[in-house]
DNA sequence: CAAATAGTGTCTCTAAGACAATATCAC
DNA sequence: GTGATATTGTCTTAGAGACACTATTTG
């Protein structure tokens, strides 16, 4: 028997298999305009959530995502699901781990590949997809409250979703987050969001994902405020500019009409 | 209809599902004794491969691994598979990505969660498991040959497995490796090994995984030689000792009888 | 001029890297 | 003493962080 005849007789149907999904934490910035037009608009990190229209967790907010289809990779699946939900192709896609606890989904054996992604500016109201009752951008707050305790707060108008998470380590030293019983999100999505945020912050610190939140040309002050919105860490402009200098190039263009000194526009360097 | 009755009627069987496996790059060090007993033994990084006893890729060398079982996480699956193959519980488990190209396995739709793991010293000959014809430790060479080209060489006695890989970036900037057609390993395992090695090296540079290759108490020179065996980068002892100092604590014990000055033994600090 | 942001210069401190020097054992 | 490794000290340089200062616009 050779390999060809082996494969022609081989049936993969004999083994029990899990369903495989992707869940995606889609991030964007919301620009908060000020009453005083001379102030720069401040930026808030926001995340896209959908309100579940069906059981399980009907009526609760959850991450967009869906089942892996035959013929696509998990990354392609994530991009497809984001596009179906937002009509936007994401600018980055960052792996946030595989979530495979057997009891994580009441429907059965379902493992999820989690991603963080960035689609730039949160402009329009997102449309709710087929099995979703609603879809909205939520402002994100994620902060350490105590030694290894975190508070995740997601706010949209008068809806406030709060989760308390503890930072844990596997016996192998890998860091993950474990949500408190009364998380206000469907499934284990609070934990996935926390992991995605941790990943996103790590990258933002290393100047790796901040460009995806801005158009091709941007000012350094904008870029710095993006980094601050994501990481919650502020540095003095002089130091930021020194560190970023290797990643960007000057253009000859400037901003105009902001009620203060114009700022030079920069472009990201090719990698 | 409430959630309970929805779930009791829900059948997950309606959707087509992939098979899910883990493949694990198990690393250990091989100690090369010298003819001159006064020389310290040098260390080589080695990886465990099994020779496939069944189609597909019968007779070719491959990573250990196996199908995810119901009731376990992918991490537990990886640990179980390593234990079945080596009778050793791994000391670390590092995610090396999800491999989900639809055509990566000729048996059908099979996606793999890849891990790098460390089991310390490669002492005994491993036993071949059920569907394996052989199992051996291969010495690892992985080096850049050219701008974004890498050569992976795995050697066991007179068996030499060579793969040429190019370093690629997804449109989202994620780095991965693509093997040349004539890789001498089963499936896409050359690519998985390259990713695992890149991950392992990154961690070794940050003093994150090197302790797992040594017993509880070790000399700083041993620790440095572990780092060098993995990363292929050497630094001067004085600088290594300064950088490692925050991660380790002195003991009162020393090595003896090595034909040169005794070395103080250290322990890893608790994290 | 005032308000606001844009952008530069400089000081200190730490960490990294290179290199030299000293210490201690077995034989 | 010789050969081998262990361990410490010091010099230089690069970078991070803090802080003060100057520049340019609109009203």
């Amino acid at each position: 028997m050779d390999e060809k005849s082996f494969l022609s007789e081989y049936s993969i149907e004999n083994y029990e298999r899990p369903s495989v999904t992707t869940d995606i934490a889609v991030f964007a910035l919301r620009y908060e305009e000020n009453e005083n037009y001379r102030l720069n608009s401040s930026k808030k990190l926001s995340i896209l959530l959908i309100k579940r229209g069906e059981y399980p967790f009907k009526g609760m907010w959850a991450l967009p995502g869906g089942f892996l289809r035959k013929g696509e990779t998990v990354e392609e699946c994530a991009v497809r699901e984001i596009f179906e939900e937002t009509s936007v192709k994401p600018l980055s896609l960052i792996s946030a781990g595989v979530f495979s606890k057997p009891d994580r989904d009441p429907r059965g054996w379902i493992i999820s590949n989690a991603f963080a992604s960035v689609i730039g500016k949160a402009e329009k109201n997102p449309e709710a997809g087929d099995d979703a009752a609603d879809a909205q951008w939520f402002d994100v707050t994620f902060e350490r409250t105590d030694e290894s305790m975190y508070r995740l707060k997601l706010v949209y108008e008068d809806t406030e979703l709060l989760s308390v998470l503890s930072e844990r380590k596997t016996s192998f030293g890998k860091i993950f987050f474990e949500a408190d019983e009364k998380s206000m999100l469907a499934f284990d999505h609070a934990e996935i969001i926390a992991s995605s945020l941790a990943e996103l912050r790590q990258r933002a610190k290393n100047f790796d994902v901040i460009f995806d939140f801005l158009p091709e040309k941007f000012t350094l002050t904008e870029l710095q405020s993006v980094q601050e919105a994501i990481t919650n860490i502020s540095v003095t402009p002089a130091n930021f500019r020194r560190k970023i200098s290797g990643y960007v190039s000057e253009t000859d263009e400037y901003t105009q009409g902001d009620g203060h000194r114009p700022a030079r526009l920069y472009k990201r360097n090719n990698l």
Side-chain angles (χ1 to χ4, degrees), chain A:
Chain A
M1 189 164 101
D2 66 356
E3 176 147 348
K4 261 188 189 158
S5 59
F6 168 86
L7 287 173
S8 69
E9 287 173 24
Y10 181 88
S11 174
I12 211 167
E13 306 300 321
N14 306 331
Y15 308 100
E16 195 170 8
R17 306 188 295 289
S19 296
V20 176
T21 65
T22 58
D23 289 306
I24 311 109
V26 184
F27 293 103
L29 288 182
R30 194 172 59 77
Y31 286 66
E32 229 167 30
E33 298 302 335
N34 289 84
E35 63 300 333
N36 179 350
Y37 85 102
R38 300 176 69 178
L39 287 162
N40 280 350
S41 62
S42 68
K43 300 176 180 65
K44 296 258 184 179
L45 183 65
S46 60
I47 186 173
L48 180 68
L49 296 181
I50 62 167
K51 191 174 197 166
R52 291 186 56 81
E54 288 301 331
Y55 293 111
F57 298 105
K58 185 171 176 175
M60 290 183 76
W61 293 92
L63 290 173
F67 288 89
L68 181 66
R69 293 185 189 161
K70 202 165 180 171
E72 69 185 5
T73 65
V74 290
E75 290 82 7
E76 287 161 356
C77 176
V79 172
R80 175 177 56 74
E81 294 286 349
I82 297 169
F83 188 79
E84 286 176 9
E85 192 63 45
T86 68
S87 307
V88 173
K89 301 258 185 219
L91 298 163
S92 61
L93 197 63
I94 299 165
S95 173
V98 178
F99 292 77
S100 59
K101 275 194 208 143
D103 59 352
R104 60 175 292 281
D105 192 314
R107 290 170 295 184
W109 189 18
I110 302 182
I111 72 179
S112 171
N113 294 93
F115 291 93
S117 87
V118 173
I119 69 161
K121 196 168 170 178
E123 299 249 31
K124 310 163 192 169
N125 278 3
E127 308 142 30
D130 36 345
D131 62 345
D134 197 1
Q136 294 296 343
W137 290 102
F138 283 68
D139 282 356
V140 176
T141 324
F142 184 55
E143 45 193 18
R144 165 179 267 138
T145 54
D146 200 1
E147 175 64 27
S148 78
M149 293 299 290
Y150 285 78
R151 193 171 60 100
L152 173 68
K153 196 166 79 173
L154 307 176
V155 178
Y156 158 67
E157 291 183 358
D158 51 356
T159 305
E160 182 175 307
L161 308 174
L162 196 70
S163 300
V164 176
L165 300 114
S166 59
E167 190 185 39
R168 305 281 301 274
K169 279 188 186 173
T170 67
S171 55
F172 302 120
K174 193 197 163 192
I175 290 172
F176 67 100
F177 294 93
E178 193 167 57
D180 165 286
E181 313 78 50
K182 263 299 152 212
S183 164
M184 298 167 75
L185 285 148
F187 304 103
D188 51 1
H189 287 187
E191 297 170 1
I192 294 180
I193 293 171
S195 289
S196 300
L197 272 168
E199 220 14 75
L200 191 73
R201 286 186 170 177
Q202 187 57 43
R203 307 247 180 168
K205 268 189 208 162
N206 298 326
F207 312 105
D208 199 28
V209 79
I210 50 179
F211 300 97
D212 296 333
F213 286 92
L214 293 172
E216 194 196 357
K217 293 174 185 171
F218 48 82
T219 70
L220 295 188
T221 303
E222 280 178 324
L223 191 58
Q224 180 174 6
S225 71
V226 170
Q227 193 187 51
E228 283 185 22
I230 300 171
T231 63
N232 259 324
I233 299 169
S234 50
V235 295
T236 59
N239 297 335
F240 179 81
R241 297 172 95 89
R242 252 205 316 271
K243 289 209 286 187
I244 203 69
S245 61
Y247 298 89
V248 297
S249 306
E250 296 184 345
T251 72
D252 294 334
E253 298 170 58
Y254 288 83
T255 57
Q256 275 187 354
D258 287 327
H260 52 254
R261 175 172 173 177
R264 185 189 282 273
L265 294 175
Y266 286 76
K267 286 167 70 172
R268 180 181 197 173
N269 285 346
N270 296 326
L271 300 180

